[in-house]
Amino acid sequence: MSDRDPLERYRGKRHFDTTAEPSGGDARAGDEPSYVVQIHDASRTHFDFRLEVDGVLKSWAVPKGPSTRPGDKRLAVPTEDHPLEYREYEGVIPSGEYGGGTVIVWDEGTYRPLAGHRPGRAGSFGEALAHGHASFWLDGAKLRGGYALTRIRSGEDGDEEAWLLVKEKDSAARSDGPATPDPYRARSARSGRTFHQVAEDESASGG
């Protein structure tokens, strides 16, 4: 069993005397695993999709955000594992820091693995992800129903690793209205604030 710190990459990219992002280590897992979707107004505005797995938040950058329409294939690029405390993080990462820009919690809730997350195999949800495919049910403030993550590119031979995040066809699927929100009009599931309001509040408090 490896003794490597799963948050080594996360901590190595940040200066915690400058950024208010959590360094990790204090949060405990709940009765059900959690998930969070944050919108990050960095050099390129994107959604960060994070699932609690084995004591950390497994994370993917999803440029267009999770869709509520079945069959929509959304590119998801894996990033470093984040600490569980990050599911509550909302604020402004200072300019010059890794990922500098405003972050809001667009959606949050719990999830449960679906029985078919590893067709023909037994094992944990983390093992399913390691093998490149996992299906799960979200119970969130904004997202509900079945989703699947599937690795489509391994990251070998110099290529960037890539996954697809797809909404399953079920009672929670939607075919009308926007599949994902306008990031600049979206409001936080935690505070009800927009990007602009989070940045304004942090500036007013001297952050």
Side-chain angles (χ1 to χ4, degrees):
M1 183 175 180
S2 174
D3 293 329
R4 183 178 176 274
D5 179 0
L7 297 176
E8 181 180 346
R9 282 188 63 211
Y10 170 84
R11 292 182 176 127
K13 291 174 178 284
R14 293 163 174 83
H15 301 94
F16 295 106
D17 56 347
T18 303
T19 181
E21 295 168 278
S23 59
D26 297 326
R28 294 185 177 182
D31 293 336
E32 295 180 273
S34 61
Y35 83 92
V36 65
V37 182
Q38 286 155 314
I39 309 181
H40 190 175
D41 190 20
S43 55
R44 291 184 179 180
T45 303
H46 62 277
F47 292 71
D48 285 309
F49 184 78
R50 312 190 196 279
L51 294 171
E52 178 185 335
V53 182
D54 298 333
V56 296
L57 294 175
K58 294 291 184 184
S59 301
W60 293 261
V62 183
K64 293 185 178 181
S67 177
T68 57
R69 296 175 180 168
D72 277 2
K73 296 177 180 179
R74 294 297 168 88
L75 177 67
V77 178
T79 64
E80 70 276 10
D81 295 344
H82 283 51
L84 295 183
E85 293 93 332
Y86 213 95
R87 59 194 168 199
E88 300 177 2
Y89 177 71
E90 194 164 80
V92 179
I93 302 171
S95 177
E97 276 293 306
Y98 174 75
T102 307
V103 176
I104 64 171
V105 175
W106 177 69
D107 190 29
E108 60 183 355
T110 60
Y111 79 92
R112 56 182 169 84
L114 293 177
H117 66 80
R118 283 183 75 199
R121 299 180 181 178
S124 72
F125 190 75
E127 290 171 335
L129 285 172
H131 281 85
H133 178 79
S135 298
F136 46 92
W137 186 277
L138 299 181
D139 282 305
K142 298 174 181 176
L143 296 177
R144 288 188 168 273
Y147 283 80
L149 274 164
T150 303
R151 186 167 52 223
I152 58 170
R153 197 163 58 231
S154 67
E156 298 175 356
D157 300 323
D159 292 331
E160 186 176 44
E161 184 179 342
W163 295 61
L164 290 179
L165 176 64
V166 180
K167 175 74 187 76
E168 304 281 9
K169 187 175 183 180
D170 54 41
S171 59
R174 293 178 54 188
S175 57
D176 58 335
T180 49
D182 177 346
Y184 297 99
R185 295 187 178 185
R187 291 187 176 272
S188 163
R190 294 188 66 84
S191 66
R193 298 179 297 171
T194 63
F195 275 145
H196 178 72
Q197 290 168 327
V198 168
E200 244 187 8
D201 290 349
E202 194 143 322
S203 178
S205 67

